[in-house]
């Protein structure tokens, strides 16, 4: 049993280290990409017909903001088609109808499209709209986004290359400084939308459409098999199918598309659940096709890390739970000390991950990089650890093919600390066994801290401390009553 614990602990740490080295490789490519001079001021000389799709489901608090922002996009009115793919069953329907009538009266080509049923959720809505779309290109925005007026005139020039099937822009944030949760999310998302996406593009490896704030060539969607809803991350699924067909994707870091970050833990959890489970579902569906494709092995390795990235939460949870028994195995088996000492090599993985986020912090906050990084990196790590149980369950369900309903992320229309979500009809605070397990795990890792003192083995003290804080933080936010800003 002791050797089973040792081997499982060692294997999980080794794989986590490999994922971290994968991030280091992307960081190296990102830094090389930043040294290259890239033409970003291309002009748009022709104006192809563009369809803008707005998939909406019960978004009464933000849908007007979205529609008004789309109308302000700088593009010839006669070359623009706006589809509001409305699956709502509340007063959002009437709000959209009023807005559509208002803009249609001013000769905008704008439609509220309602399906007879909600089959396939967002993917089904996008497929329904595409069948009726007239545009050569399709831009997609989720309800929490506020598109930049120059979005189309800055993205469409990249499609002069006929092999380009999709252009993705960088997400920026409307409410980063609202609270600790929004700051943590911004810290992580900024790293994805700088180092990770640009690094993959520079390496010539697969990148992904992020579900919103991007433009597709319609024939690319069709050639890849269209929108499919056998996963809950239809964006990642279609991205891989399209690139396996030979289509090229372009990432535009310099074009920002502002969006609202969730401000409450139930909303964050629903979003994280969908992203992590959907990634596992897509890996289950696509990984074999990637491995048998004719792309280079370097690209296959990056694709493996990309598709399996959500598994890090499961590996982290296993390593964390086993780390306390490991303390006692080490104490009562001094002959195994060398085995444990070899574990220090995994500090390389931590340093690689730290470098990844340091470069991202430098790219997004060049004026005060050190202060921003030191303040946010430890908080981000603790929170990620605290989400390990919740996200691991999502990952396991994805790999096992367990189907669950699509859970939307509630929107608040909250941008500053004075904004209130009081009376928001989409909020729900449901306490589950997982929530109480998070509380118990916090106590478990506090016990790990005491064990370190008892055994005079302080090597895992910081690790256990961050785990205890992370699980306690997530647990407390999940159980405390929601308080509304005044």
């Amino acid at each position: 049993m002791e050797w089973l614990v040792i081997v499982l602990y060692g294997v999980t740490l080794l794989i986590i280290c490999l994922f971290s080295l994968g991030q280091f490789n992307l960081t190296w490519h990102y830094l090389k990409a930043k040294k290259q001079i890239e033409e970003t001021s291309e002009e748009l000389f022709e104006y192809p017909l563009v369809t803008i799709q707005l998939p909406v489901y019960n978004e009464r608090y933000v849908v007007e903001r979205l529609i008004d922002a789309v109308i302000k996009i700088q593009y010839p009115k006669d070359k623009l088609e706006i589809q509001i793919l409305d699956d709502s069953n509340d007063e959002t329907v009437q709000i959209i109808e009023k807005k559509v009538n208002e803009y249609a009266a001013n000769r905008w080509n704008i439609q509220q499209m309602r399906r007879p049923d909600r089959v396939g959720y967002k993917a089904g809505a996008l497929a329904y709209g595409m069948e009726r779309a007239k545009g050569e290109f399709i831009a997609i925005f989720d309800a929490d986004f506020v598109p930049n007026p120059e979005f189309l005139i800055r993205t469409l020039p990249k499609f002069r290359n006929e092999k380009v099937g999709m252009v993705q822009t960088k997400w920026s944030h409307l409410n980063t400084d609202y609270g600790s949760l929004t700051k943590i999310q911004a810290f992580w998302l900024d790293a994805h939308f700088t180092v990770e996406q640009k690094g993959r593009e520079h390496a010539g490896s697969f990148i992904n459409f992020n579900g919103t704030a991007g433009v597709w060539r319609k024939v690319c969607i069709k050639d890849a098999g269209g929108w499919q809803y056998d996963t809950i991350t239809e964006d990642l699924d279609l991205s891989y199918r399209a690139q396996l067909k030979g289509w090229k994707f372009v990432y535009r870091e310099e074009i920002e598309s502002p969006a609202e970050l969730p401000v409450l833990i139930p909303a964050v959890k629903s979003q994280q659940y969908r992203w992590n489970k959907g990634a596992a579902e897509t890996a289950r569906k696509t990984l074999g096709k990637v491995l048998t494709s004719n792309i280079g092995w370097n690209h296959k390795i990056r694709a493996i890390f990309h598709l399996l990235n959500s598994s890090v939460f499961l590996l982290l949870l296993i390593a964390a739970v086993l780390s306390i028994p490991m303390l006692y195995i080490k104490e009562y088996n001094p002959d195994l000390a060398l085995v444990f000492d070899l574990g220090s090599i995994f500090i390389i993985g931590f340093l690689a991950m730290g470098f990844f986020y340091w470069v991202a912090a430098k790219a997004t906050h060049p004026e005060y990089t050190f202060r921003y990084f030191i303040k946010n990196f430890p908080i981000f790590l603790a929170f990620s650890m605290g989400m390990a149980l919740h996200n691991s369950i999502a990952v396991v369900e994805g790999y096992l093919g367990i189907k669950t309903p699509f859970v939307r992320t509630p929107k608040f229309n909250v941008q500053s600390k004075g904004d209130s979500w009081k009376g928001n009809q989409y909020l729900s605070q449901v306490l589950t066994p997982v929530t109480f397990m998070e509380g118990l795990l916090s106590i478990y890792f506090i016990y790990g801290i005491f064990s370190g003192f008892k055994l005079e083995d302080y090597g895992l003290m910081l690790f256990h401390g961050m785990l205890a804080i992370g699980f306690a933080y997530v647990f407390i936010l999940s159980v405390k009553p929601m308080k509304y800003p005044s």
Side-chain angles (χ1 to χ4, degrees):
M1 180 62 71
E2 290 178 354
W3 278 105
L4 177 63
V5 172
I6 293 170
V7 171
L8 188 56
Y9 181 73
V11 169
T12 54
L13 286 181
L14 175 61
I15 299 174
I16 291 172
C17 181
L18 292 175
F19 273 100
S20 298
L21 292 177
Q23 288 183 310
F24 181 83
N25 178 260
L26 293 178
T27 309
W28 181 79
H29 277 285
Y30 177 78
L31 293 173
K32 287 194 69 175
K34 298 302 287 184
K35 291 180 180 179
Q36 297 177 350
I37 300 175
E38 183 178 356
E39 178 58 54
T40 60
S41 59
E42 300 155 312
E43 294 185 23
L44 187 63
F45 300 106
E46 298 180 0
Y47 294 87
L49 184 61
V50 176
T51 298
I52 298 180
Q53 292 186 327
L54 311 176
V56 172
Y57 174 68
N58 292 353
E59 303 289 4
R60 58 187 294 185
Y61 301 107
V62 295
V63 71
E64 287 187 89
R65 181 181 69 184
L66 170 66
I67 296 171
D68 289 340
V70 168
I71 291 295
K72 293 176 183 176
I73 289 179
Q74 299 168 3
Y75 206 73
K77 188 184 291 188
D78 62 333
K79 295 291 186 179
L80 198 60
E81 174 187 46
I82 303 171
Q83 293 180 339
I84 306 174
L85 308 173
D86 182 19
D87 283 348
S88 304
N89 55 19
D90 68 356
E91 68 181 73
T92 305
V93 178
Q94 288 73 43
I95 295 172
I96 294 173
E97 183 178 6
K98 181 180 177 181
K99 273 289 176 183
V100 167
N101 290 337
E102 174 188 334
Y103 286 118
N106 289 319
R107 300 175 62 186
W108 285 93
N109 183 3
I110 183 170
Q111 309 170 64
Q112 180 182 21
M113 306 183 73
R114 292 185 54 76
R115 299 187 288 161
D117 52 53
R118 201 176 166 229
V119 173
Y121 304 106
K122 180 181 175 181
L126 293 171
Y128 182 84
M130 198 185 77
E131 290 175 359
R132 295 155 179 80
K134 299 175 182 177
E136 179 183 353
F137 299 97
I138 297 178
I140 301 170
F141 292 101
D142 283 348
D144 48 342
F145 276 72
V146 182
N148 188 306
E150 297 182 343
F151 178 84
L152 288 178
I153 61 176
R154 297 185 68 188
T155 54
L156 290 178
K158 283 296 181 182
F159 287 101
R160 288 193 188 125
N161 181 345
E162 294 185 356
K163 294 182 179 179
V164 171
M166 192 280 299
V167 176
Q168 174 68 51
T169 64
K170 177 185 177 181
W171 295 6
S172 58
H173 319 296
L174 295 169
N175 57 341
T176 299
D177 296 324
Y178 185 83
S180 59
L181 268 182
T182 54
K183 290 176 182 177
I184 291 168
Q185 293 171 81
F187 184 83
W188 169 70
L189 286 170
D190 285 345
H192 171 73
F193 283 100
T194 51
V195 179
E196 187 172 351
Q197 286 285 60
K198 195 66 181 179
R200 291 189 196 283
E201 182 190 47
H202 180 267
S205 295
F206 289 0
I207 66 173
N208 61 291
F209 171 57
N210 292 104
T212 177
V215 186
W216 284 85
R217 193 188 297 270
K218 185 164 67 174
V219 294
C220 171
I221 298 176
K222 291 182 176 180
D223 183 53
W227 295 104
Q228 298 175 7
Y229 40 87
D230 51 352
T231 75
I232 55 175
T233 47
E234 67 289 325
D235 45 7
L236 180 61
D237 173 37
L238 180 59
S239 296
Y240 265 77
R241 284 188 280 117
Q243 289 169 105
L244 285 170
K245 281 275 191 175
W247 291 95
K248 303 298 180 185
F249 283 14
V250 173
Y251 178 64
R252 300 296 300 268
E253 182 186 351
E254 74 283 359
I255 304 176
E256 296 190 0
S257 295
E260 178 184 323
L261 295 165
V263 297
L264 291 176
I265 196 68
V268 175
K269 279 187 167 182
S270 67
Q271 189 178 70
Q272 287 282 309
Y273 173 86
R274 190 172 65 251
W275 287 350
N276 285 286
K277 180 175 181 177
E281 289 177 329
T282 303
R284 186 171 181 260
K285 174 182 178 179
T286 309
L287 193 55
K289 298 175 184 177
V290 171
L291 294 175
T292 57
S293 69
N294 59 0
I295 64 174
W297 275 104
N298 57 332
H299 302 313
K300 288 182 181 180
I301 291 171
R302 291 192 192 94
I304 291 170
F305 284 130
H306 190 191
L307 289 170
L308 299 180
N309 189 55
S310 60
S311 303
V312 170
F313 287 105
L314 180 59
L315 296 167
L316 174 62
L317 181 64
I318 294 171
V321 170
L322 294 179
S323 63
I324 296 176
M326 287 289 288
L327 284 174
Y328 288 92
I329 293 173
K330 180 181 178 182
E331 173 69 15
Y332 297 112
N333 294 271
D335 294 338
L336 298 176
L338 179 61
V339 175
F340 291 92
D341 291 340
L342 289 175
S344 60
I345 195 173
F346 297 110
I347 193 67
I348 296 173
F350 176 79
L351 294 175
M353 181 174 60
F355 185 59
F356 173 87
Y357 284 101
W358 167 263
V359 171
K362 188 174 181 180
T364 54
H365 295 80
E367 67 280 8
Y368 59 106
T369 302
F370 181 79
R371 178 159 52 93
Y372 175 77
F373 178 81
I374 291 298
K375 182 179 179 180
N376 289 283
F377 184 58
I379 299 172
F380 159 75
L381 282 181
F383 178 75
S384 298
M385 292 177 184
M387 290 291 291
L389 175 63
H390 174 273
N391 290 347
S392 293
I393 292 171
V395 170
V396 171
E397 288 183 354
Y399 287 139
L400 295 179
I402 298 173
K403 297 299 181 182
T404 51
F406 183 94
V407 180
R408 64 184 291 277
T409 303
K411 314 301 189 305
F412 302 91
N413 196 8
V414 168
Q415 298 186 37
S416 61
K417 291 187 177 181
D419 294 340
S420 174
W421 60 82
K422 188 173 184 178
N424 190 304
Q425 296 182 4
Y426 305 138
L427 286 179
S428 61
Q429 189 175 24
V430 180
L431 300 182
T432 67
V434 174
T435 301
F436 294 103
M437 282 294 296
E438 289 164 345
L440 291 174
L441 281 170
S442 177
I443 297 171
Y444 177 69
F445 292 114
I446 291 173
Y447 170 72
I449 296 172
F450 283 112
S451 295
F453 281 114
K454 176 184 175 181
L455 302 174
E456 298 183 353
D457 188 336
Y458 308 109
L460 294 175
M461 195 78 71
L462 179 61
F463 182 49
H464 290 153
M466 296 187 74
L467 284 162
I469 292 170
F471 278 109
Y473 179 70
V474 171
F475 171 73
I476 291 169
L477 289 183
S478 299
V479 300
K480 77 173 186 177
M482 295 177 183
K483 295 183 179 180
Y484 306 108
S486 59

